[in-house]
Amino acid sequence: MSRAEFVHVHDGHDVHDGHDVRAGDEGREVRRIWTFGLFRSELGITFRRWRTLALLGVLAAVPILVGIAVKIETSDGSSVGGGGDGGGPAFIAQITNNGLFLVFTALAATLPFFLPMAVGVVAGDSIAGESSAGTLRYLLVAPAGRTRLLLTKYATTMTFCLVATLVVAVSALAVGALLFPVGEVTTISGTRISFGEGLLRALLIALVVAASLVGMAALGLFVSTLTSSGIAAMATTVGLLITIQILDQIPQLHAIQPYFFSHYWLSFADLLRDPVYWDELVKNLGLQGLYAAVFGSAAWARFGAKDITA
């Protein structure tokens, strides 16, 4: 007897030819409640792991180290950093004038490696870790099935993406406000906006950075369905990240580089222009959506055929 049939039989209603609407509605409600409970449980397990806490601790420490380094270097009145075209160095040069720029600098520093590495570890361990621990088969006994379980794992990974990005941003904002003056923000275009608008743009940038990890999360989830070893899945995902980052720096590969998931990651700097440049931002979000669709579908196809009894 399936879990849905169990619900129908034990809820006190007769089922005739499978057309008991009330029983069907209650069965769907049970599945929705179970799915929400699974998502809440996944979040609790993920954020209680020492590995997750260690990753978040490292991410929170990056802005602190950058802020202290800039403060020490500029303690004699000298400047730090350089010009650039809106990337990390330009942000660094502005930190001493406005601590809010530490948020942008920290995100620019962590996005190429630290943030995606943390996401890759969580995504890579999502399915493979359960398989390695022998708990995957018990999760699939519940009525949600493989598709809902996979979606729950992906939603948990995306929640981690958002939390990890906000940890970096909040840590940087606190350190920047403590060590440096804050006030009106000078955009990359040279115009000035209020501190409140600067905060809003910082929040928007954090959301864009989190969205930039959508493709990486889907890739990690797919890799996680290919093996029963959590360590192997995490190592493979991080290895792919490093490989793509290296390939994206080779000039001879310029023709295919716009298709790498990391190519437009630093386009979030365009949100600090006045007016905002949207071209590369849209390309980045579209590319992330494409990776999520392709590797999410591949993960679903693989997980649907995965032998969990092996």
Side-chain angles (χ1 to χ4, degrees):
M1 178 182 293
S2 69
R3 179 65 176 268
E5 292 172 337
F6 180 88
V7 172
H8 289 175
V9 170
H10 289 269
D11 63 5
H13 302 286
D14 294 330
V15 181
H16 300 286
D17 299 326
H19 296 296
D20 190 327
V21 176
R22 182 174 179 182
D25 290 342
E26 291 186 2
R28 286 191 294 271
E29 181 66 21
V30 167
R31 286 192 292 271
R32 282 194 295 268
I33 294 174
W34 184 90
T35 302
F36 176 75
L38 176 63
F39 176 60
R40 185 174 59 184
S41 174
E42 284 294 325
L43 285 180
I45 292 173
T46 298
F47 285 96
R48 282 197 301 267
R49 287 189 178 126
W50 68 266
R51 180 177 62 235
T52 303
L53 297 176
L55 290 172
L56 292 177
V58 170
L59 291 173
V62 171
I64 298 174
L65 296 176
V66 173
I68 293 175
V70 172
K71 186 68 174 180
I72 293 174
E73 186 174 346
T74 59
S75 60
D76 58 354
S78 61
S79 61
V80 64
D85 60 351
F91 291 155
I92 291 177
Q94 293 291 331
I95 292 176
T96 54
N97 299 323
N98 194 327
L100 185 59
F101 274 88
L102 184 58
V103 176
F104 313 134
T105 300
L107 290 174
T110 55
L111 182 55
F113 183 72
F114 292 106
L115 272 172
M117 181 197 68
V119 172
V121 168
V122 173
D125 190 53
S126 56
I127 299 297
E130 299 284 3
S131 181
S132 178
T135 55
L136 185 58
R137 69 186 69 182
Y138 300 110
L139 283 174
L140 294 177
V141 170
R146 300 192 181 207
T147 298
R148 291 193 183 186
L149 177 59
L150 193 68
L151 288 174
T152 299
K153 292 287 188 180
Y154 187 63
T156 301
T157 303
M158 288 311 305
T159 301
F160 175 80
C161 290
L162 181 60
V163 170
T165 304
L166 291 177
V167 163
V168 174
V170 171
S171 174
L173 180 61
V175 174
L178 286 173
L179 298 181
F180 307 100
V182 293
E184 289 188 338
V185 177
T186 301
T187 67
I188 296 174
S189 304
T191 59
R192 296 181 68 85
I193 59 177
S194 67
F195 179 70
E197 185 176 347
L199 281 177
L200 289 177
R201 294 206 187 194
L203 176 59
L204 182 57
I205 284 174
L207 295 177
V208 169
V209 169
S212 298
L213 300 171
V214 166
M216 180 71 195
L219 176 61
L221 189 68
F222 170 63
V223 171
S224 188
T225 64
L226 299 178
T227 177
S228 297
S229 170
I231 295 177
M234 289 185 286
T236 301
T237 304
V238 174
L240 287 173
L241 166 66
I242 296 173
T243 301
I244 290 296
Q245 293 282 45
I246 294 174
L247 294 178
D248 201 23
Q249 301 301 317
I250 300 177
Q252 291 78 5
L253 299 178
H254 65 89
I256 62 173
Q257 285 170 348
Y259 300 99
F260 294 156
F261 59 77
S262 62
H263 187 70
Y264 297 107
W265 272 353
L266 295 181
S267 63
F268 73 79
D270 290 338
L271 288 169
L272 274 180
R273 300 185 188 275
D274 192 16
V276 174
Y277 292 177
W278 292 104
D279 289 350
E280 291 197 352
L281 284 166
V282 172
K283 288 179 182 179
N284 177 41
L285 296 179
L287 189 63
Q288 301 309 316
L290 177 62
Y291 268 82
V294 171
F295 286 101
S297 299
W300 175 78
R302 168 61 182 168
F303 190 52
K306 187 179 181 68
D307 181 12
I308 63 170
T309 63

